Amino acid sequence: MGNIYKEGENRKQQMFFPPSIDEYVSQDNPVRAIEAYVEILDMKKLGFTKAALGNAEGQPAYHPKLLLKIYIYGYLNKIRSSRKLETEIKRNIEMMWLCSNLKPSYKTIADFRKENSKPLKEVFREFVLLCKEIDLIDGELVAVDGAFLRANASKNQLITTKTVAKDLQAIDAKIEEYLKSLEFVDASEKREKNIIPPKDDFAGMKQRKAKLEKDLALLEEMGVTQYNRTDPDAKLMIKPAHNLMAYNVQIAVDSKYKFIVATDVSSDTNDYGKLYDMAIAAKEVSKNNACTIVADAGYYSAKGIKACDDANIDVYVPVPDKYRQQRERGYFIADQFTYDKAYDCYICPAHQKLTNSFIFNIKPNGTKHYFYRAGSKTCGRCMLREQCIPAKTAYKKITHSEYADTVERHKIKMRTQEAKANIKQRASLAEHPFGTIKRTLGWDHFLVRGKQKVSGENALIMLTYNFKRVLGLVGTDLFQKLIKAILKGNIEAIKKEIAEYIACFRLYFDDFLGLFRFLGLMEKKALYT
């Protein structure tokens, strides 16, 4: 009886016509798409280091295109460490093909990511423009959102004004206790070992206090309340479950096929003040003058909304409830006071006037807030006083923003059905990419330090997300045809083919989904019959 198992080739058997590396990589392998796209980039124009070397002495450098290919492949396959990438180059047949069997060291790979922050952001922008060129982005509705991505910094290296002051107070208390124990011993002339702390402990306490005072002086000199020695640009971000050293990553997601059209990184611990910057970036890259932006309540800013209105950007941002506590206490809220523009005054629920005091307060973002107040006698004899102000408050005071007209128009717009429909879409558009980035792809933290370098890695993350999405949408073969069409200057023909391919795919998917739902209904019907 013959052998029933398949036998492999003899590893030591020589072959007259050995297969090439290219034969090991199928035509629809994503590495071919990476190769095709990176090869059409002008690395010198994008600003990559070592992109335009002359007759350099010594060993030749690795081309920036090679290193960019390595990183795109690595991020697509959840490999971000430069050491792991070096290992993959030596054992992974796809990487061997992509690198033409070149083997850059981990340090060369790591330095490329650290030194090319700005060029990486330019590559991200170029890819978004390519998606726009083939009609995968329309900019009609763009959702903006932010998320905390962990920094490459430890909380153990964080110093804050609050914790330093607390530790100083504790050290002072220990030193005072030590000195009191010495006074007690001197008075009683009894030197018991259990009472007197060792001298080394006292010296350590003094050193600790000196270090804390130095940390506090550093914070005061820098004008900040927190500082991380590992990564000074990273900040302590507060989340419901835990606190972490992180950066605030912003994205703008187009509604057509959910591509990320704009991204940014900041050290701010909230999204306030980010609306206009993200909106204008999304509008510029999508080239849509009728762009609509939707964001959550964290982005609400009267100044930002006014700036978007002036730029002809239609924004939908929920108005946060700032008067909940007043309402719960039974007091009148500001919305119940009517502003009379003709006489520049407010009319209270008791039909009394609150006049402009011509005193204003400038907020940190530069917005002026004017104060309107009623007379103390008017409020003193008012029948509705208990529903308006506390007993110890002499008169009612209301602040009036310089953007009050913008706020009022926005409140009216947010009550419309269109606003409610747009807000409903926001979560599925903007939060889905972060879920994919953090959980599916495993990019929940940065490997580099410093805001500039982090911005470069963030651009690489978002570029790879979009790249993966394009390949999932049009496929590797059609993407390669697109690159060839770009080189020949005949992109219109391929645009039509891409549109037909996507339409066919979506029709097939809708039919499959309909069949799946039908089978589900039939199964439910069978259970109840």
Side-chain angles (χ1 to χ4, degrees):
M1 184 176 178
N3 192 353
I4 62 173
Y5 297 108
K6 292 182 179 181
E7 293 185 2
E9 295 179 356
N10 188 339
R11 295 186 183 93
K12 296 181 180 180
Q13 175 67 45
Q14 292 185 352
M15 302 175 66
F16 289 106
F17 300 100
S20 65
I21 295 179
D22 191 66
E23 292 181 36
Y24 286 111
V25 178
S26 62
Q27 292 300 315
D28 61 349
N29 194 303
V31 294
R32 294 188 180 272
I34 297 171
E35 169 76 14
Y37 176 68
V38 175
E39 283 299 321
I40 68 169
L41 296 176
D42 187 341
M43 306 303 275
K44 182 179 178 181
K45 184 179 178 181
L46 292 169
F48 280 94
T49 57
K50 300 178 182 177
L53 292 177
N55 293 327
E57 296 181 358
Q59 186 177 354
Y62 289 103
H63 200 287
K65 286 184 178 179
L66 170 69
L67 298 168
L68 181 58
K69 292 173 191 176
I70 291 171
Y71 268 116
I72 294 177
Y73 178 87
Y75 276 67
L76 276 174
N77 292 277
K78 305 181 184 179
I79 308 168
R80 299 167 62 196
S81 164
S82 57
R83 292 180 183 271
K84 289 183 179 179
L85 286 171
E86 181 187 21
T87 302
E88 289 298 311
I89 290 169
K90 296 175 182 177
R91 70 182 182 90
N92 186 324
I93 193 67
E94 293 178 342
M95 285 287 261
M96 291 178 186
W97 181 93
L98 193 62
C99 299
S100 300
N101 226 13
L102 292 172
K103 299 179 178 65
S105 68
Y106 76 89
K107 189 176 186 309
T108 301
I109 298 170
D111 288 345
F112 174 82
R113 181 170 50 190
K114 291 188 292 184
E115 295 170 358
N116 292 284
S117 299
K118 188 175 180 180
L120 287 172
K121 290 192 283 186
E122 289 298 318
V123 174
F124 165 77
R125 178 180 171 82
E126 287 291 321
F127 193 78
V128 172
L129 291 174
L130 174 61
C131 294
K132 170 62 181 174
E133 183 69 18
I134 57 177
D135 298 329
L136 298 182
I137 293 171
D138 58 19
E140 291 184 5
L141 179 65
V142 177
V144 176
D145 198 13
F148 299 157
L149 264 65
R150 188 158 47 86
N152 186 4
S154 170
K155 284 194 290 185
N156 295 332
Q157 297 298 316
L158 176 69
I159 56 173
T160 67
T161 304
K162 184 177 180 180
T163 55
V164 170
K166 184 178 179 181
D167 290 345
L168 270 174
Q169 187 177 2
I171 286 291
D172 286 337
K174 287 183 179 180
I175 291 175
E176 185 178 356
E177 182 180 353
Y178 176 85
L179 294 176
K180 283 183 179 179
S181 67
L182 288 182
E183 291 177 2
F184 173 77
V185 170
D186 289 340
S188 61
E189 295 183 353
K190 293 180 181 180
R191 298 184 176 275
E192 298 180 8
K193 292 182 180 180
N194 295 332
I195 297 178
I196 304 176
K199 293 183 179 181
D200 291 343
D201 288 354
F202 183 64
M205 285 189 287
K206 289 196 296 182
Q207 290 177 2
R208 173 65 175 162
K209 181 178 180 180
K211 183 179 179 299
L212 290 171
E213 288 175 341
K214 186 178 179 180
D215 290 343
L216 190 60
L218 175 64
L219 292 171
E220 291 175 353
E221 182 182 349
M222 297 178 66
V224 296
T225 58
Q226 60 171 285
Y227 177 81
N228 190 287
R229 296 185 181 91
T230 306
D231 186 352
D233 293 333
K235 293 292 183 289
L236 184 67
M237 306 285 181
I238 300 174
K239 300 190 77 173
H242 62 283
N243 302 336
L244 69 163
M245 297 303 304
Y247 284 92
N248 189 350
V249 176
Q250 300 289 314
I251 60 171
V253 184
D254 184 73
S255 63
K256 189 172 183 179
Y257 292 116
K258 298 180 177 62
F259 284 98
I260 298 172
V261 296
T263 185
D264 193 20
V265 172
S266 78
S267 300
D268 298 329
T269 57
N270 55 59
D271 299 326
Y272 182 80
K274 307 289 188 305
L275 179 65
Y276 175 73
D277 291 339
M278 294 304 298
I280 202 68
K283 181 181 178 181
E284 287 177 355
V285 77
S286 64
K287 299 178 182 178
N288 189 336
N289 292 328
C291 186
T292 298
I293 302 293
V294 60
D296 61 30
Y299 287 86
Y300 181 83
S301 164
K303 185 177 181 179
I305 293 171
K306 178 67 166 59
C308 289
D309 290 345
D310 293 342
N312 195 31
I313 301 174
D314 194 16
V315 294
Y316 292 89
V317 184
V319 182
D321 186 4
K322 299 186 296 183
Y323 307 109
R324 187 182 64 182
Q325 290 184 351
Q326 287 181 264
R327 191 184 295 107
E328 290 175 350
R329 292 174 183 175
Y331 291 137
F332 294 127
I333 61 174
D335 290 347
Q336 293 174 278
F337 290 73
T338 306
Y339 179 67
D340 189 332
K341 193 171 184 179
Y343 292 96
D344 189 24
C345 67
Y346 276 90
I347 307 299
C348 76
H351 306 292
Q352 300 297 321
K353 289 184 179 181
L354 280 74
T355 57
N356 192 341
S357 63
F358 298 102
I359 299 174
F360 62 85
N361 180 30
I362 301 178
K363 297 291 183 179
N365 65 349
T367 303
K368 288 184 179 180
H369 283 257
Y370 297 88
F371 294 104
Y372 289 72
R373 52 162 291 185
S376 55
K377 292 183 179 179
T378 302
C379 291
R381 59 174 178 263
C382 181
M383 299 295 293
L384 302 177
R385 174 187 170 85
E386 292 182 358
Q387 296 174 254
C388 192
I389 54 177
K392 295 183 179 180
T393 303
Y395 54 83
K396 179 66 177 179
K397 180 174 67 175
I398 285 183
T399 58
H400 180 89
S401 169
E402 62 178 300
Y403 302 115
D405 292 342
T406 299
V407 170
E408 190 60 32
R409 287 195 300 269
H410 187 74
K411 285 181 178 179
I412 294 171
K413 183 171 75 171
M414 290 307 296
R415 299 189 192 107
T416 63
Q417 291 300 320
E418 182 182 4
K420 294 176 182 178
N422 288 335
I423 292 296
K424 191 174 181 179
Q425 290 188 63
R426 185 205 66 80
S428 62
L429 289 176
E431 295 182 7
H432 173 267
F434 277 126
T436 302
I437 286 168
K438 288 183 175 183
R439 298 293 174 259
T440 306
L441 300 174
W443 307 330
D444 62 347
H445 64 287
F446 294 109
L447 298 181
V448 293
R449 295 170 181 169
K451 185 179 176 181
Q452 182 179 353
K453 295 175 185 177
V454 166
S455 297
E457 187 182 6
N458 177 65
L460 184 59
I461 288 172
M462 302 309 167
L463 164 68
T464 315
Y465 173 87
N466 283 346
F467 199 91
K468 187 178 182 68
R469 199 158 188 83
V470 166
L471 295 185
L473 195 62
V474 305
T476 303
D477 291 337
L478 195 52
F479 184 81
Q480 291 182 80
K481 291 176 68 175
L482 167 65
I483 301 301
K484 291 178 182 177
I486 292 172
L487 292 172
K488 294 178 180 179
N490 186 25
I491 198 171
E492 291 300 323
I494 198 67
K495 281 171 62 176
K496 184 178 179 181
E497 187 176 348
I498 288 173
E500 290 174 352
Y501 178 87
I502 294 174
C504 181
F505 174 79
R506 296 188 73 175
L507 182 63
Y508 171 80
F509 179 77
D510 290 342
D511 289 344
F512 177 78
L513 189 62
L515 177 62
F516 181 77
R517 288 173 176 169
F518 173 76
L519 293 175
L521 290 173
M522 293 297 291
E523 185 179 356
K524 285 185 178 180
K525 186 177 180 181
L527 289 173
Y528 292 102
T529 57

